[in-house]
Amino acid sequence: MPETRTAGVTGLGMSVPSRVLTNSDLERMVETSDAWIIERTGIRERRIAAPGESTSTFAFGAAVEALNAAGLDPAEVELIIVATATPDMLFPATSCLVQHKLGAKRAAAFDLEAGCSSFIYAMAVGAQFISSGCFRNVLVVGADTLSRITNWRDRSTCVLFGDGAGAAVLQPVKPPRGIFSVVLRSDGSGADLLKLPAGGSSLPTSEETTRNGLHHLVMNGREIFKFAVRAMEEAAAEALRNGGIKQEEVDCFIPHQANIRIIDALAKRLCLPAEKVLVNVDRYGNTSSASIPIALYEAVSTGRIKPGSLALLVAFGAGLTWGALALRY
Ligand code: UT7
């Protein structure tokens, strides 16, 4: 029997498009205002993919940086998981495109889709392969290009999203370092609250679906808002309880970056002081699967997470899905 091992993050990377879309740009596209967007969401600008760029572009960029940070040759990677709801194509998996671009010749590759919770799910899955002794070098990427499924005439959604990717290398580490508590949940009764209606097997793309705009994301914002606060509070509290830690021991809290009001309400319920809460939604908007790894990357590169720091990651998303993950860096 292979020994049981703990998985930890040994390298991080991120990649976002260079094109910035500001709130004043959006004022010229739909009936909205910089003041409304900032007050209701906290978002000031977001990054938008250029023609020719796609989810694999950013996933690859983030992956290269994460592998360099970990000092890992692509040929040594054994598994690549790309967490995404906006793959380059329905198939083949975007992870295979990344595998090829990296030259990760020995790696297994698959995509994982759990809405904006996908990165937490993918980290949990990647960690299992390490704990079981199956693999030693796992690359987990959270990447999305929501601008490609956004209805740019719908002001209630088009102001919210941005594109990009973040990546983490998982390898065996010595406790107390590593991922030590994971909570994953789902509730498909809320599937209609946030979805991309057409383009799948239930409603294949047709002239009619295109005419009716069903190839665009649709969302019940108010219901998702209420669910988000409730679900993330539940997951975060359970991850702390399962890991035997108190909230005051958390050094850095990284919630999914969807809306500053959701983040503030959540931090308040969890009694977490603002200085421990990572916020970058103002600069990137909601980047879906990329939001948590980009925030984790920034927390580490700015020194807010240091070796030994305790980080609590928590997300919610379409599905519905939600989850939390506690790790010692
Ligand atoms: O990763 C998961 C993705 N989803 C989310 O995280 C979404 C969660 N929900 C939210 O973040 C918020 O519900 C929104 C930001 C989407 C909306 O904020 P809200 O405070 O819930 O606004 P609302 O939907 O209740 O709308 C209030 C008003 C409406 O006007 P009336 O009906 O009161 O006249 C909207 O038409 O604000 C209007 N509105 C806007 N006004 C200016 C909606 N979007 C805009 C806009 N600019 N962009």
Side-chain angles (χ1 to χ4, degrees), residues 31-33 36-37 40-41 116 155-156 159-161 194 219 221-222 224-225 256 258-259 261-262 286 316-317:
E31 201 184 325
T32 190
S33 67
W36 190 95
I37 302 172
R40 307 308 291 168
T41 73
C116 299
R155 68 174 183 174
S156 69
V159 303
L160 302 175
F161 303 110
L194 177 51
M219 176 176 73
R222 282 185 207 182
I224 291 283
F225 191 110
H256 172 45
N259 184 321
R261 290 187 295 137
I262 294 176
N286 179 348
F316 69 95

Side-chain angles (χ1 to χ4, degrees), residues 28 80 82 244 269 306:
R28 291 189 283 277
I80 301 170
V82 173
R269 286 191 186 200
K306 301 182 183 66

Side-chain angles (χ1 to χ4, degrees), residues 17-38:
S18 51
R19 182 181 162 211
V20 176
L21 185 74
T22 64
N23 291 350
S24 21
D25 295 331
L26 282 160
E27 283 175 347
R28 291 189 283 277
M29 296 162 66
V30 286
E31 201 184 325
T32 190
S33 67
D34 178 47
W36 190 95
I37 302 172
I38 292 175

Side-chain angles (χ1 to χ4, degrees), residues 2-299:
E3 56 177 317
T4 300
R5 291 171 296 190
T6 301
V9 174
T10 56
L12 288 162
M14 70 170 274
S15 169
V16 291
S18 51
R19 182 181 162 211
V20 176
L21 185 74
T22 64
N23 291 350
S24 21
D25 295 331
L26 282 160
E27 283 175 347
R28 291 189 283 277
M29 296 162 66
V30 286
E31 201 184 325
T32 190
S33 67
D34 178 47
W36 190 95
I37 302 172
I38 292 175
E39 192 205 317
R40 307 308 291 168
T41 73
I43 301 167
R44 292 174 184 275
E45 59 184 45
R46 67 288 288 144
R47 301 301 183 97
I48 301 293
E53 291 178 328
S54 61
T55 297
S56 68
T57 314
F58 310 116
F60 172 69
V64 168
E65 189 177 4
L67 291 174
N68 282 340
L72 189 64
D73 191 308
E76 292 174 80
V77 175
E78 294 161 290
L79 172 64
I80 301 170
I81 309 176
V82 173
T84 185
T86 51
D88 280 28
M89 295 166 270
L90 266 180
F91 67 87
T94 299
S95 55
C96 291
L97 308 180
V98 174
Q99 176 274 336
H100 176 61
K101 274 192 188 179
L102 286 172
K105 293 201 184 312
R106 289 179 57 219
F110 62 85
D111 289 0
L112 188 156
E113 202 280 296
C116 299
S117 313
S118 297
F119 184 75
I120 300 258
Y121 268 67
M123 289 282 276
V125 171
Q128 292 302 312
F129 278 99
I130 288 173
S131 298
S132 69
C134 188
F135 296 135
R136 293 185 66 83
N137 302 318
V138 175
L139 174 65
V140 179
V141 188
D144 265 309
T145 314
L146 287 190
S147 65
R148 294 283 154 78
I149 57 163
T150 297
N151 179 352
W152 290 101
R153 285 199 283 264
D154 174 10
R155 68 174 183 174
S156 69
T157 53
C158 77
V159 303
L160 302 175
F161 303 110
D163 303 332
V169 171
L170 293 180
Q171 292 180 305
V173 293
K174 235 177 156 184
R177 281 187 72 199
I179 295 169
F180 63 91
S181 184
V182 174
V183 173
L184 302 175
R185 293 280 187 282
S186 68
D187 178 7
S189 72
D192 285 336
L193 295 177
L194 177 51
K195 65 179 180 182
L196 181 66
S201 58
S202 74
L203 195 57
T205 309
S206 65
E207 274 181 38
E208 195 187 342
T209 61
T210 310
R211 199 167 43 247
N212 294 328
L214 300 175
H215 53 299
H216 290 138
L217 169 159
V218 289
M219 176 176 73
N220 180 332
R222 282 185 207 182
E223 285 306 313
I224 291 283
F225 191 110
K226 285 188 266 176
F227 151 71
V229 178
R230 198 176 57 237
M232 289 200 290
E233 181 191 12
E234 175 197 297
E238 194 173 329
L240 293 176
R241 210 164 42 243
N242 293 351
I245 37 175
K246 302 190 188 72
Q247 65 256 56
E248 56 265 31
E249 292 175 71
V250 173
D251 296 303
C252 189
F253 180 61
I254 303 188
H256 172 45
Q257 305 287 310
N259 184 321
I260 191 65
R261 290 187 295 137
I262 294 176
I263 296 172
D264 287 347
L266 177 65
K268 199 169 160 201
R269 286 191 186 200
L270 292 168
C271 302
L272 285 163
E275 62 271 18
K276 288 192 174 180
V277 182
L278 201 295
V279 175
N280 64 13
V281 70
D282 51 325
R283 287 177 290 125
Y284 301 116
N286 179 348
T287 57
S288 191
S289 311
S291 114
I292 290 193
I294 289 175
L296 182 60
Y297 172 92
E298 292 198 339

